[in-house]
Amino acid sequence: FGFIHNIAEHFLLCLHQNLGSIFLLLYVNNIVLTSSNPTLINLVKELLNKKIKIKDLGLLKYFLLAL
């Protein structure tokens, strides 16, 4: 895919392309994708679904993470 690990946070991966930037947060067996470009999010979800079976839970309503 081309994601790069964030140096400060090992669970945050970033991908920068012509379509924009997308950020993938990985925690245990959960993935959160965020981007200002919905097309890019859908593209990454399709690619992930080809590699591993994923279930889209829809829009994120809240996010709580204790570091």
Side-chain angles (χ1 to χ4, degrees), residues 1 3 19 22 24 31 33 38-56:
F1 288 95
F3 280 93
L19 294 173
I22 187 164
L24 184 149
I31 296 173
L33 292 172
T39 303
L40 188 55
I41 292 175
N42 289 329
L43 177 65
V44 170
K45 287 192 307 189
E46 288 175 15
L47 291 171
L48 281 172
N49 203 35
K50 287 181 182 177
K51 294 286 185 180
I52 58 173
K53 203 66 168 165
I54 63 170
K55 181 178 181 181
D56 187 353

Side-chain angles (χ1 to χ4, degrees), residues 5 10-13 24-32 65:
H5 275 103
H10 62 276
F11 56 86
L12 174 63
L13 296 101
L24 184 149
L25 288 99
L26 181 62
Y27 184 73
V28 185
N29 62 345
N30 297 301
I31 296 173
V32 175
L65 179 65

